[in-house]
Amino acid sequence: MALSASTLGLRRLLSATFSPSLKNLSVCATRDSSSIPQIEGIDNSNLPPLTTPKLFISGLSRITTDEKLKEAFSRYGQLLEAKVITDRASGRSKGFGFVKYGTIEEAEEARKGMNGHFLDGWVIFVDPAKSAAQKATAKQSEAYSSPSGVKANKTVGWCG
DNA sequence: GTTGAGCGTT
C-alpha cells in the first residue's frame, strides 16, 4: 500500500521550472512554488550515510551533458569527476551519470541537495555508486530496497 | 531529436 502510494505520488509530479521552453509550468509545479525542486514523497533527511564520495545519478534528461551535470553538482563541493554516460554507438546520453567528490561530506550534501530534484526538466535520483563487488552483493540480496528511499527508482519527467 | 531500466570509460 505504502509502496504504491509513493510510486503514484512520484509519477504525478512532473517536470517543471527553470526551462523557459516549457509552458505548462503551473500544471507541473508543486504547490510550494517558491523554490520548487523537491519532489513530494522523498525524505532526504532519512537516508543512510554514504560510504563513498562517488555518486550515481539516474533519471537524467538526454539533453543533459557532462558540463550541465558539473554545473548542477559543483555547488556542493569540488568535483573530481562529472560524467554523463553516453552510448558508444550513438554517442547520446544513456540517461545516467557519475559525479565524484573529494570527500564524503560533500557527496552527502550533493545527495541531499539534488536527490529528487529537477535537472533539465527531469527528476533525478542520487545514489551512492556501486563497485563491482557491491553490484554482486546487491544481486544476492533481493530484499535490498532502493538507496534513494524511493521504492521505484523510476524516472519522472516531461509534463504534457 | 525525448518518452526511460539502470552502475561508466580508461
Side-chain angles (χ1 to χ4, degrees):
Chain A
M1 306 295 184
L3 317 172
S4 44
S6 57
T7 302
L8 289 180
L10 260 188
R11 298 203 159 178
R12 299 172 89 189
L13 334 152
L14 301 180
S15 37
T17 64
F18 310 164
S19 182
S21 55
L22 293 179
K23 295 174 184 174
N24 351 356
L25 294 185
S26 53
V27 182
C28 305
T30 57
R31 283 168 268 169
D32 191 357
S33 53
S34 52
S35 78
I36 304 299
Q38 183 80 26
I39 301 191
E40 303 171 3
I42 292 189
D43 290 333
N44 282 342
S45 55
N46 198 22
L47 296 173
L50 294 177
T51 57
T52 167
K54 188 193 257 183
L55 299 175
F56 170 66
I57 318 298
S58 58
L60 294 176
S61 164
R62 304 210 131 111
I63 68 172
T64 302
T65 62
D66 290 3
E67 288 193 359
K68 195 67 188 286
L69 194 66
K70 183 188 297 181
E71 285 179 19
F73 282 84
S74 61
R75 77 185 66 165
Y76 301 101
Q78 184 182 5
L79 283 179
L80 303 184
E81 186 180 4
K83 178 174 288 183
V84 171
I85 303 307
T86 53
D87 184 76
R88 285 209 52 182
S90 66
R92 287 181 197 114
S93 170
K94 284 187 178 177
F96 66 90
F98 296 90
V99 295
K100 183 180 179 183
Y101 291 93
T103 67
I104 293 183
E105 284 79 13
E106 290 170 328
E108 292 269 18
E109 289 304 309
R111 176 171 62 168
K112 284 188 287 189
M114 290 302 292
N115 187 35
H117 289 74
F118 294 90
L119 185 58
D120 282 334
W122 282 74
V123 176
I124 66 175
F125 295 99
V126 181
D127 289 311
K130 299 181 201 165
S131 66
Q134 287 170 328
K135 280 191 265 182
T137 305
K139 275 193 176 181
Q140 292 180 352
S141 57
E142 299 179 2
Y144 198 72
S145 56
S146 169
S148 40
V150 188
K151 182 60 179 179
N153 201 14
K154 296 268 174 77
T155 308
V156 183
W158 235 235
C159 36

